């Protein structure tokens, strides 16, 4: 119908509708086809197109916990790198739950052009067995499964431990994420190792885990703080800034002075961390560049190109703010 209205062939309509006109369709024909498309309300049948080509223009991003604001910046980076040729579909879980390979495999009926998997576990990747190109994000230690773009969270964790030790802290607690993914395990492990080397004690009873939620983290801290206070805890490190916001919130309710009585720090360096009162010390993890680079790597694979580097690591850095200002102890 579009071809008849515009007075061109169906092949020409296909080229215009799919953005493949360069050097192949005249400006006059492009204008006529677009006019006919607008008049008739035509849209490309994505399912029919994917059946014909054997693959769709859909890219699936699998994320373990979309409640974490960090992912919004990752998604923005992915979207920018993929461009208008691809549609981004999110496969997410409830807070605190890990993705299941069965759920993602059901989406394979859409014939996705590729998959991005953020902060996966080894078990998930072993069960997935995707026929489409895959790129992993923030998946330390899992580089053997697929091309990866990682964050140097270990370096930032060690830098944070050194900062607290230099400020005189010796008794510290840790608030972790319940997701159990490799990135959180590495943050915790690297911090604890460096802390121990610098004379900081973080007993097993001082490590608690919650979902990535301000209210849940606040409640967990409220329950643990009386005992931590008796043990002389002077700093709390959190696996994400979102956890740290909960600790700061509950500390204010309890009348605990930050940082005079308790220092608080996190990971991610979300925008609110610079404007909170006090500002939150945090390990800066480049979320948008993570999404950009992962999307770029996947796009190369989807277009049949060879990757210059199968594994890429982006630097982290410690941003010191008022929540851990040095004080004599």
């Amino acid at each position: 119908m579009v071809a008849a209205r515009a007075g061109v062939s169906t092949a020409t309509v296909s080229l215009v509708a799919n953005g493949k006109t360069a050097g192949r369709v005249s400006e006059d024909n492009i204008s006529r086809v677009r006019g006919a498309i607008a008049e008739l309300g035509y849209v490309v049948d994505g399912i029919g197109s994917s059946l014909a080509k054997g693959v769709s223009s859909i890219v699936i991003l699998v994320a373990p916990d979309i409640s974490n604001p960090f992912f919004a910046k990752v998604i923005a980076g992915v979207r920018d790198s993929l461009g208008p040729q691809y549609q981004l579909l999110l496969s997410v879980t409830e807070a605190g739950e890990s993705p299941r390979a069965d759920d993602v495999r059901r989406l394979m009926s859409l014939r996705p052009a590729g998959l991005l998997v953020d902060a996966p576990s080894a078990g998930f990747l072993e069960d997935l067995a995707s026929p489409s190109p895959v790129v992993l994000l923030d998946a330390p230690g899992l580089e053997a499964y697929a091309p990866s773009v990682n964050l140097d969270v270990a370096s930032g964790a060690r830098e944070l431990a050194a900062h607290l030790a230099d400020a005189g802290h010796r008794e510290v607690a840790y608030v972790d994420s319940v997701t159990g993914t490799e990135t959180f395990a590495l943050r915790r492990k690297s911090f604890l190792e460096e802390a121990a080397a610098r004379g900081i004690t973080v007993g097993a009873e001082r490590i608690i885990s919650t979902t990535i939620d301000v209210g849940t983290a606040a409640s967990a801290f409220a329950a643990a703080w009386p005992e931590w206070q008796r043990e002389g805890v002077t700093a709390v490190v959190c696996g994400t800034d979102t956890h740290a916001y909960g600790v700061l919130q509950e500390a204010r309710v309890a009348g605990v002075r930050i940082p005079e009585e308790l220092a608080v720090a996190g990971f991610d360096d979300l925008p609110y961390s610079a404007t909170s009162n006090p500002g939150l010390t945090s390990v800066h993890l480049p979320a948008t560049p993570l999404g950009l680079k992962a999307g770029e790597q996947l796009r190369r694979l989807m277009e049949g190109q060879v990757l210059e580097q199968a594994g890429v690591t982006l630097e982290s850095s410690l941003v010191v703010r008022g929540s851990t200002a040095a004080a004599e102890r």
Side-chain angles (χ1 to χ4, degrees), residues 4-232:
R5 179 70 63 92
V8 298
S9 68
T10 55
T12 298
V13 174
S14 178
L15 291 171
V16 174
N18 290 288
K20 298 179 179 180
T21 58
R24 305 167 78 177
V25 183
S26 70
E27 289 299 322
D28 179 58
N29 281 345
I30 291 173
S31 178
R32 296 212 311 253
V33 170
R34 287 176 176 169
I37 286 174
E39 291 172 16
L40 296 170
Y42 170 73
V43 294
V44 175
D45 183 346
I47 295 177
S49 177
S50 66
L51 287 172
K53 295 184 294 184
V55 67
S56 72
S57 60
I58 292 172
V59 170
I60 298 173
L61 171 58
V62 182
D65 191 346
I66 202 66
S67 63
N68 186 350
F70 181 79
F71 286 125
K73 299 179 75 173
V74 174
I75 292 167
V78 170
R79 180 65 273 169
D80 286 347
S81 64
L82 290 179
Q85 296 95 319
Y86 297 97
Q87 289 101 34
L88 185 61
L89 175 66
L90 300 181
S91 175
V92 300
T93 62
E94 295 292 335
E97 293 186 8
S98 297
R100 292 181 299 185
D102 286 346
D103 293 337
V104 178
R105 274 198 295 268
R106 279 194 283 270
L107 296 175
M108 294 301 179
S109 62
L110 299 174
R111 300 172 184 254
L115 274 76
L116 294 164
V117 186
D118 199 316
S121 65
F124 172 83
L125 294 175
E126 289 170 0
D127 291 343
L128 182 60
S130 169
S132 303
V134 177
V135 170
L136 310 180
L137 297 79
D138 197 12
L142 302 177
E143 295 84 355
Y145 288 93
S148 308
V149 181
N150 287 319
L151 301 168
D152 189 5
V153 295
S155 176
R158 290 191 292 267
E159 195 176 351
L160 175 55
H163 166 66
L164 293 178
D166 291 344
H169 296 281
R170 293 296 176 263
E171 303 294 333
V172 175
Y174 196 97
V175 181
D176 204 357
S177 167
V178 298
T179 53
T181 52
E182 297 300 323
T183 181
F184 287 110
L186 183 57
R187 296 175 200 199
R188 182 182 64 252
K189 179 176 181 288
S190 301
F191 175 80
L192 294 179
E193 288 178 349
E194 187 67 21
R198 291 177 177 270
I200 293 176
T201 300
V202 188
E205 71 283 356
R206 292 193 207 145
I207 302 175
I208 59 175
S209 300
T210 80
T211 55
I212 304 175
D213 175 77
V214 172
T216 305
S219 297
F221 172 75
W225 174 241
E227 180 62 26
W228 289 353
Q229 189 175 34
R230 284 191 291 271
E231 294 177 355

